[in-house]
Amino acid sequence: MTNETIANQLQMQPTFRVQLPWDMEEAKHRIRKAIKTDELAKHAESAGPVIDFKIDPSEQRFWSPHLSVQLNRTDQPQSSEAFCRFSPRPEIWTMVMAIYLIATCCLFGAMIYGFVQWMMGQSPWSLITIPVAILIIIGLHVASLIGQGWSRDQMHVLKSRWDRTLEIARSEGE
């Protein structure tokens, strides 16, 4: 990944892919072994084909990201792929998605209720909710981009930890 991935201002959860020179099981084994080293043990954890890299609790801010790496099989023998995504911590992302869901439900509910009011010859006052819901959705997107900008330094830290994990995993077989 280049810094372009981190610098892309329009992407809410920057992603990148890394081709690995091992089959899926070998990749899981090597990467798990690498993140158990003293250098990385307190910064990463794994479950199944997923590895999460986190910021130290003492350095976490509300908008601090984490890096989730999903290992996937490929069509090539002796090859696998790591799909990597920067995103807010799971508890923050759940809250954001809940707010999106509520705003979207209010938006559609207001449209339906406004249509019913209009069909019944009443004033469709519920349509006032539509711009409010749209502003909330836009506000969440802008807030996520601002938080991503504020956490760019931590994204670089997480990316360097992933790069270091790959270095350790590659050196294991030598």
Side-chain angles (χ1 to χ4, degrees):
M1 177 187 84
T2 63
N3 289 338
E4 291 174 15
T5 303
I6 294 175
N8 185 347
Q9 289 297 314
L10 298 178
Q11 191 174 7
M12 284 182 67
Q13 293 183 309
T15 61
F16 61 97
R17 296 175 188 271
V18 177
Q19 294 299 318
L20 302 173
W22 314 292
D23 65 27
M24 179 79 160
E25 292 306 313
E26 181 71 12
K28 280 196 296 191
H29 171 74
R30 286 175 179 252
I31 290 172
R32 282 183 181 162
K33 192 169 180 182
I35 66 171
K36 288 180 183 175
T37 61
D38 291 338
E39 179 181 354
L40 296 168
K42 62 184 177 181
H43 304 293
E45 54 188 39
S46 69
V50 178
I51 300 96
D52 281 332
F53 291 87
K54 301 174 185 210
I55 296 297
D56 292 326
S58 63
E59 296 176 17
Q60 275 188 358
R61 304 179 290 242
F62 179 77
W63 53 85
S64 291
H66 83 282
L67 176 61
S68 181
V69 178
Q70 172 82 38
L71 300 177
N72 299 310
R73 297 184 195 286
T74 62
D75 296 338
Q76 311 296 325
Q78 295 300 316
S79 177
S80 56
E81 177 186 69
F83 177 77
C84 309
R85 172 173 289 172
F86 291 102
S87 61
R89 294 185 323 271
E91 63 273 16
I92 302 301
W93 188 242
T94 302
M95 177 191 67
V96 168
M97 288 293 98
I99 294 171
Y100 268 121
L101 178 65
I102 291 167
T104 303
C105 288
C106 288
L107 176 80
F108 286 113
M111 287 178 10
I112 292 168
Y113 194 67
F115 179 72
V116 169
Q117 287 176 318
W118 177 71
M119 291 296 291
M120 294 179 70
Q122 298 175 358
S123 175
W125 58 265
S126 67
L127 297 179
I128 293 171
T129 308
I130 293 172
V132 173
I134 290 172
L135 285 174
I136 289 171
I137 291 169
I138 291 170
L140 280 173
H141 188 74
V142 169
S144 74
L145 295 176
I146 290 170
Q148 184 176 317
W150 287 347
S151 65
R152 191 168 321 286
D153 60 327
Q154 293 181 336
M155 291 170 76
H156 287 288
V157 167
L158 293 171
K159 173 65 170 77
S160 68
R161 287 181 183 153
W162 166 243
D163 291 340
R164 181 66 183 136
T165 300
L166 290 179
E167 285 176 27
I168 294 169
R170 284 187 176 110
S171 68
E172 178 189 309
E174 296 174 355

